[in-house]
Amino acid sequence: MLKEVLLGVLTGAVALTIGILLGHFAIDKGSSVPEWVRDASRDVDESIIEKFLAELDTNQLKENLRELTKVPHMATTSGDEATVDFMLKRWQDPNTGLDSAWREDYKVYLSFPNKTITWFQNNSNEKLFHLREKVYKPDQEDPEVVQPFAAYSPAGNVKGKLVYANQGKMSDYELLNRTLDLRGTIAITRYGGEGRSKKAINAAKFGIVGVLVYTEPYDMNDGLVSESETYPHSWYLPPSGVERGSYNTDFGDLLTPYLAAKDDTYRIPKEDITGIPPIPAQPIGFEDAEGLICELDGDDAPDEWQGSLNCIYKLGGPGFKATSTFSNSNVHLDIYNTERLEYSANVMGIIRGSVEPDRYVIYGNHRDSWVHGAIDPSSGTAVMLEITRVLGKMVKEGKWRPRRSIIFGSWGAEEFGLIGSAEYTEEYFSKLSERTVAYINVDISVFANATLRASASPAAQSVIFTASKQVNAPGTTTTVYENWKQYSNRTSPNYGIIPNVGFLTGAGSDYAAFMHYLGITSMDISYYYDRSKTRARIYPAYHTAYDTFDYASTYIDPGFTSHQAVARTAGNVLLRLADSLLLPFNCSDYTESLEQYLSQAVTAFEEKLAAKGISMESLKKAVQIFRDTATKLDRVIRDSDLAKETPLKARQINDQLMLLDRAFLDPLAFPEQYGFRHVIWASRSSSVPTFPGLADAVEKAESTGLKEDWDQAHKHISIVTQAIAGAAHTLDDVI
């Protein structure tokens, strides 16, 4: 009886308390709704976006780039330290800075040149390659301009007869090996078709002892080879220009895989590093390449191996033709690269969120370059600095604060293998996995000035479209969206003709660790060139001493209006991700991409798999389940007025959207691919644009015919099937 009385009293007290609270908030006091309720239901403010877009200034962008490119700033050099100080000064400015900014150092394994000598010799006749690029402007005379080298190539002194191996693909070496003894030779290869390191890794399997890599004018210069037609007279690469680069396949610090490279972190022995050349490698300019390729003996190279140098490309005897000055001579390759541990800094800055500070939108760009790096990466850094200037000013003046926290990252040592961003994700793995909404990458912000280019998780397609519709395309009367659609489009079953958003299937920039390792919805945004007017695989001065402020301001974006268009588009995306009540992601767009991949897989593989007793029906059903649940969630979102409902409902839906890409992670799916855990967008070697593990497994099984390889194909069907079904379940009701 006493228990019942006490229970009744307690119930009455609770009811009375609730009544008092309801009455308190129901009374009109001029501002009857608590501030936290108003904040929790606040959506993106379009007037703030309009103000932000108007404030982004071309002159500021230009001056940012001028300051960033005053000196070469290869990772960990004095020039790099100067850019660290510059970033901190800007982000700690009392009037336009961020809430806080700091540096975070990692002790990482880097490769540097001492000297490199390459020559071909015949008794008393010898000719040295150019050890430096030709000077056309004062920038190229800077003593800190690093000589062309292949980072992580081993030191060594090798010599051998020369052969021409096209792009250094396995198929290229296999073709050569049919008629030539490649043992003890040196191969000359062109950039493209295969990763830098793989050109040497593949070569070593055939007994080749050294590899040269050059930039083919056909691929980069639209065939132009004359000094009078190239920089400084145009945007094309001059004959002595050499593309530097990192010759490794994995990203992150090579000695601390899956661990942040701090002072006391365990480091594997350097002998255990994989994915770097086992033989010496060296990049050269096409001027030097012509002196080699055009003197080669042997059969004509296949038509698809021919290029724009002034001769018919030969395979090599191996070696040079009898009529050459260098007949019977060897090519000598002397590499003196050294490796050492150096401290490399990330510069970090934040704007704290007002409502959901534990939800992060991350915007990043690497800071280091091979030389001055005006386009790669300083065009992206210039854009990031202008975005932070405008947002910082709005925060300092009390005019705006984002709903969610914004983290800005200026990554270090990206050129050596995406090191700064990878170490950051490894150090803060748990926090970033649990709290990050999205990652926006703007590395090279402006390749040229024709049109927007974007690659992204399909979930982020819609917010990029929304942002690009609010920005005017430079030099036109149309929007960035409409301009983009004219240059690159596809037909969508849901929307009709839309701009083509690429997939983030590789590790080309700092989005890799976020997308592939953490499963964070990511995107990469830039301005690009008109592909109908050039064959250039990238802007021609890429990774050379000619990538300077003069080059960028003369030939890439003279008025800095394309920089501004990228700043406006990427910044608009950033604001929407940071301020929208409901995250502007669309899971049905993911459905469309999965169905596209499924269609490709069925067309390419279903019949072959069926012949081995392997069915694709479970995969088809998983994609259908995903469509059904995505459609259901879309309906819930459409039918909800979240501003009038409990904030917990918005938070629930946002978590489902935020964690969608995380649901596709499988840490055991690709044991041989470092850092790749996303089963939809992992890197693939197959040319079939579909689920990467499945495509690579089927192609390997076809080539070997082994039962165990067909079993692996079956396994990858199960992996991708269960990943898609699992992701679908995260979009469904809680129970």
Side-chain angles (χ1 to χ4, degrees):
M1 181 69 180
L2 179 61
K3 184 184 295 185
E4 293 175 356
V5 171
L6 290 174
L7 183 61
V9 170
L10 180 61
T11 302
V14 170
L16 178 62
T17 302
I18 293 173
I20 292 171
L21 288 172
L22 289 174
H24 173 75
F25 290 124
I27 297 172
D28 186 3
K29 298 180 180 179
S31 178
S32 61
V33 179
E35 186 175 346
W36 67 265
V37 174
R38 292 196 304 271
D39 286 344
S41 62
R42 189 186 72 219
D43 207 349
V44 64
D45 186 338
E46 294 293 340
S47 68
I48 290 292
I49 291 181
E50 290 175 9
K51 177 177 174 55
F52 166 77
L53 297 180
E55 289 289 321
L56 296 167
D57 185 71
T58 55
N59 287 326
Q60 290 282 350
L61 288 159
K62 180 178 180 179
E63 291 311 308
N64 288 347
L65 191 67
R66 191 193 306 276
E67 184 67 29
L68 290 163
T69 56
K70 281 184 176 178
V71 296
H73 47 285
M74 189 170 68
T76 75
T77 63
S78 60
D80 186 32
E81 279 299 304
T83 60
V84 169
D85 293 340
F86 176 60
M87 299 293 294
L88 284 172
K89 181 180 178 181
R90 288 288 299 271
W91 285 356
Q92 293 172 348
D93 185 279
N95 298 313
T96 60
L98 307 177
D99 286 336
S100 60
W102 64 96
R103 65 180 288 160
E104 293 190 357
D105 286 285
Y106 298 95
K107 194 174 184 179
V108 300
Y109 182 73
L110 303 182
S111 170
F112 300 95
N114 187 340
K115 60 177 180 175
T116 300
I117 302 175
T118 310
W119 72 89
F120 44 107
Q121 181 178 24
N122 178 20
N123 298 324
S124 60
N125 295 322
E126 67 176 39
K127 179 180 179 181
L128 289 176
F129 287 86
H130 294 89
L131 301 183
R132 300 273 178 178
E133 290 146 305
K134 185 172 180 178
V135 171
Y136 295 103
K137 300 279 185 171
D139 286 335
Q140 289 109 49
E141 290 184 306
D142 193 305
E144 292 301 312
V145 171
V146 67
Q147 69 183 69
F149 77 113
Y152 299 112
S153 163
N157 179 305
V158 295
K159 62 182 179 179
K161 295 291 190 293
L162 190 70
V163 295
Y164 170 55
N166 191 32
Q167 295 178 323
K169 303 187 297 290
M170 279 297 293
S171 59
D172 295 334
Y173 291 118
E174 287 167 352
L175 186 151
L176 278 175
N177 200 47
R178 292 174 194 164
T179 56
L180 298 176
D181 183 358
L182 298 180
R183 292 172 297 178
T185 62
I186 295 206
I188 183 168
T189 66
R190 64 209 278 181
Y191 273 116
E194 184 65 278
R196 299 184 189 100
S197 181
K198 290 299 290 291
K199 296 176 191 295
I201 292 172
N202 294 342
K205 296 175 182 177
F206 294 86
I208 294 169
V209 297
V211 170
L212 296 169
V213 188
Y214 79 99
T215 300
E216 168 55 50
Y218 180 86
D219 302 327
M220 189 70 93
N221 273 18
D222 293 318
L224 299 181
V225 297
S226 168
E227 196 170 19
S228 64
E229 297 174 303
T230 58
Y231 183 79
H233 307 290
S234 75
W235 84 320
Y236 290 115
L237 182 66
S240 69
V242 183
E243 179 182 320
R244 297 149 181 81
S246 185
Y247 283 56
N248 58 310
T249 58
D250 295 335
F251 58 84
D253 176 56
L254 297 179
L255 292 181
T256 59
Y258 299 111
L259 296 169
K262 310 303 284 188
D263 279 340
D264 56 355
T265 301
Y266 167 75
R267 288 171 168 80
I268 65 173
K270 62 180 287 188
E271 295 76 18
D272 292 347
I273 295 174
T274 59
I276 60 176
I279 57 177
Q282 174 65 27
I284 61 175
F286 66 77
E287 179 179 32
D288 283 328
E290 184 172 34
L292 295 173
I293 292 174
C294 291
E295 297 296 316
L296 279 175
D297 199 3
D299 296 334
D300 289 357
D303 289 346
E304 60 271 22
W305 290 27
Q306 298 295 326
S308 298
L309 301 178
N310 190 30
C311 61
I312 300 297
Y313 293 22
K314 305 283 187 177
L315 298 178
F320 301 110
K321 54 194 175 186
T323 55
S324 170
T325 306
F326 303 101
S327 174
N328 298 319
S329 65
N330 289 318
V331 170
H332 290 213
L333 186 56
D334 288 352
I335 304 294
Y336 298 88
N337 290 354
T338 59
E339 297 80 37
R340 59 182 183 266
L341 293 173
E342 295 282 353
Y343 288 102
S344 175
N346 289 339
V347 181
M348 309 302 301
I350 62 168
I351 298 176
R352 184 174 176 82
S354 60
V355 179
E356 299 180 83
D358 63 328
R359 288 293 180 260
Y360 311 146
V361 181
I362 305 177
Y363 183 113
N365 159 244
H366 74 96
R367 184 188 63 258
D368 66 300
S369 64
W370 286 116
V371 192
H372 291 85
I375 301 302
D376 182 14
S378 299
S379 65
T381 308
V383 165
M384 182 163 62
L385 283 171
E386 178 60 358
I387 288 173
T388 57
R389 180 190 70 84
V390 175
L391 295 183
K393 184 170 181 285
M394 291 165 64
V395 169
K396 297 294 185 184
E397 293 176 348
K399 296 179 179 177
W400 168 82
R401 181 166 290 278
R403 177 187 188 89
R404 303 176 183 93
S405 294
I406 301 175
I407 300 174
F408 293 96
S410 174
W411 314 121
E414 185 269 0
E415 294 293 7
F416 286 86
L418 317 182
I419 290 177
S421 56
E423 300 314 299
Y424 176 74
T425 58
E426 288 169 347
E427 181 170 12
Y428 299 104
F429 177 90
S430 298
K431 183 163 69 172
L432 296 177
S433 296
E434 293 172 1
R435 300 180 181 180
T436 307
V437 167
Y439 175 69
I440 302 169
N441 193 67
V442 180
D443 179 350
I444 300 173
S445 70
V446 179
F447 290 83
N449 55 8
T451 180
L452 193 75
R453 184 179 76 161
S455 297
S457 163
Q461 172 184 273
S462 59
V463 69
I464 299 173
F465 286 170
T466 298
S468 65
K469 289 175 181 178
Q470 290 186 289
V471 179
N472 289 328
T476 74
T477 57
T478 188
T479 64
V480 163
Y481 176 87
E482 291 297 332
N483 177 264
W484 181 12
K485 190 164 64 173
Q486 292 173 17
Y487 282 94
S488 176
N489 60 65
R490 69 179 182 88
T491 301
S492 161
N494 294 330
Y495 308 114
I497 298 176
I498 58 174
N500 186 50
V501 177
F503 297 145
L504 293 174
T505 54
S509 190
D510 287 300
Y511 55 77
F514 293 93
M515 186 70 183
H516 300 305
Y517 183 50
L518 295 185
I520 291 168
T521 299
S522 301
M523 61 208 81
D524 186 72
I525 300 172
S526 62
Y527 232 70
Y528 211 57
Y529 42 83
D530 183 350
R531 295 307 300 265
S532 70
K533 294 182 178 178
T534 178
R535 289 192 301 269
R537 60 181 174 83
I538 198 168
Y539 71 96
Y542 175 69
H543 286 189
T544 73
Y546 306 112
D547 187 0
T548 61
F549 179 82
D550 175 72
Y551 180 82
S553 59
T554 303
Y555 296 113
I556 301 298
D557 189 22
F560 285 80
T561 53
S562 294
H563 283 76
Q564 184 186 53
V566 172
R568 286 173 168 170
T569 305
N572 192 334
V573 170
L574 175 63
L575 283 172
R576 292 184 181 282
L577 289 169
D579 272 354
S580 295
L581 173 61
L582 192 70
L583 290 175
F585 291 149
N586 189 315
C587 50
S588 286
D589 288 347
Y590 224 119
T591 302
E592 189 174 307
S593 296
L594 293 176
E595 289 175 340
Q596 177 184 332
Y597 261 23
L598 176 64
S599 175
Q600 293 280 357
V602 168
T603 300
F605 304 136
E606 185 171 38
E607 186 176 331
K608 299 170 185 176
L609 290 165
K612 300 295 180 179
I614 304 170
S615 172
M616 296 186 70
E617 290 306 311
S618 61
L619 179 57
K620 296 177 184 177
K621 290 178 181 177
V623 173
Q624 183 59 51
I625 291 170
F626 190 94
R627 168 168 282 287
D628 293 343
T629 53
T631 301
K632 181 179 177 182
L633 182 58
D634 283 346
R635 189 180 307 116
V636 170
I637 293 171
R638 185 180 63 248
D639 295 343
S640 299
D641 187 354
L642 295 174
K644 296 181 179 179
E645 298 196 44
T646 168
L648 294 177
K649 182 169 183 179
R651 181 82 166 197
Q652 173 191 322
I653 294 173
N654 281 340
D655 282 352
Q656 289 176 289
L657 296 171
M658 179 183 82
L659 297 174
L660 175 57
D661 269 300
R662 248 79 107 218
F664 291 105
L665 295 183
D666 184 338
L668 302 179
F670 310 104
E672 296 180 358
Q673 290 193 58
Y674 177 83
F676 285 92
R677 307 193 304 158
H678 199 302
V679 303
I680 310 298
W681 311 122
S683 183
R684 69 172 189 273
S685 59
S686 169
S687 61
V688 180
T690 186
F691 308 111
L694 174 60
D696 287 351
V698 171
E699 291 198 354
K700 181 179 180 182
E702 281 190 287
S703 67
T704 66
L706 298 175
K707 180 182 183 302
E708 54 263 37
D709 289 335
W710 284 108
D711 287 345
Q712 282 297 308
H714 191 178
K715 178 181 178 180
H716 273 284
I717 287 180
S718 297
I719 287 172
V720 72
T721 295
Q722 295 192 20
I724 293 171
H729 296 322
T730 69
L731 300 179
D732 209 344
D733 293 336
V734 176
I735 298 175

